[in-house]
Each structure stands twice: as C-alpha cells, then as structure tokens.
Amino acid sequence: MTSSSVAGLRICRADYHHAAHADALIDLLDAYASDAAGGGQPLADFAKQHLVAELAARPQAFSVLAFDGTQPVGLVNCIEGFSTFACRPLVNVHDVVVLASHRGRRVGEQMLALVEQLARERGACKLTLEVLAGNRSAITLYERVGFAGFQLDPALGSAQFLQKWLA
C-alpha cells in the first residue's frame, strides 16, 4: 500500500477490501454529498451498500484516504480514462473530500500528491477534474498544486463540463 505521513496525517491508497477503509470511504463521501458543494443530499442507501464493491470491481478506479490518527478526514476518488490525443491513460479526480474540521491544513494537497504519484505509476499523461465555479477554496487548492483551466485554442474559450442523466 502506498502511503505517506506528514504533519500528523497519514495519507494512503485505499484498500477496498479493508473494512476500516471501506467504512471511511462511505462516511466521507456521504459527508461530501450532504454538503452544499456535493449537492446537499446524503448518499442513497444503494450507493452506501454497493459503492465500495463496485469500485473494487473496476481496475481503473482507485481512492486515496487521509487519516488523523484513526479518524478518516479526507478522500479522493479517481477513475482512469484514456486520452486519445496522447494515446495514454489519464486520471480523472472524481471526488475530493476534506472534513470541515481539517480544511486549511493542506490535507487535500497531500492527498493530491499521492494521486499524482499513482497516476504517474499508471503512465497517465494528465490529471483532470471538475469543480464548481463558486468553490473558491477548492479552486485555490487545485491551482496551487498545478491544475489550470482547459482550452486548446484561446479563441474557442475554455472547456465546459456538461452532463446528461440516463434513467
């Protein structure tokens, strides 16, 4: 298991088969989903019951956890995709969670450093993520660790993240 310990925090790759890691993942993601930045609604019971097993069944998925002692305080979920232009994998940072009690302590920065290391080990050409325009603290974090808006030609503007729900 890849991990590091900085400033009293332990940052590690989640083991989906480890009960404490599985519980931490669900609890942290539920906290994020319940927050305004995550939509303001708790995770559905279906997601709580099946998410960890579904992530474990997908070799393109990995997660990073942050612990302060035994308390889980941070989570990053990642999904490997593929860049057709680079003909190499990319890693999408899908969820970033830091409990309110630990914000401002560089927990997200430390987790994203491990995500970058794991992405490089996979041969990824880049990391991608989506962030709400009003989430200034998250944007500040992402810019501090090297993320920038995506565009190919400035005349065409920045990329937008769109979605279409399928029933």
Side-chain angles (χ1 to χ4, degrees):
M1 176 184 336
T2 303
S3 67
S4 67
S5 183
V6 180
L9 295 172
R10 183 172 57 91
I11 311 298
C12 65
R13 181 175 179 168
D15 177 349
Y16 297 133
H17 303 289
H18 187 284
H21 286 200
D23 290 345
L25 190 150
I26 294 301
D27 290 347
L28 289 163
L29 194 61
D30 188 46
Y32 175 42
S34 298
D35 187 85
Q41 297 292 320
L43 285 180
D45 287 339
F46 180 85
K48 290 178 183 178
Q49 294 168 8
H50 300 283
L51 180 60
V52 174
E54 290 295 329
L55 288 170
R58 288 168 169 72
Q60 71 273 25
F62 68 91
S63 301
V64 168
L65 290 166
F67 291 90
D68 185 353
T70 59
Q71 179 191 5
V73 297
L75 166 70
V76 179
N77 286 321
C78 300
I79 309 291
E80 182 180 301
F82 189 75
S83 169
T84 54
F85 283 16
C87 192
R88 291 177 49 200
L90 61 82
V91 171
N92 180 257
V93 175
H94 193 67
D95 303 299
V96 177
V97 183
V98 176
L99 293 183
S101 61
H102 284 70
R103 292 182 187 149
R105 294 175 49 185
R106 307 273 171 147
V107 176
E109 187 173 318
Q110 293 174 55
M111 290 189 300
L112 289 170
L114 181 53
V115 166
E116 183 174 336
Q117 176 188 330
L118 295 169
R120 289 180 186 281
E121 290 171 6
R122 290 170 170 257
C125 63
K126 66 180 175 178
L127 297 174
T128 63
L129 60 78
E130 303 86 40
V131 62
L132 295 173
N135 193 343
R136 286 302 318 156
S137 60
I139 293 168
T140 298
L141 162 65
Y142 302 144
E143 289 174 343
R144 185 172 62 242
V145 300
F147 285 88
F150 176 79
Q151 64 182 11
L152 295 173
D153 178 346
L156 294 175
S158 297
Q160 294 183 20
F161 180 71
L162 306 175
Q163 71 177 7
K164 178 181 179 179
W165 285 102
L166 304 175

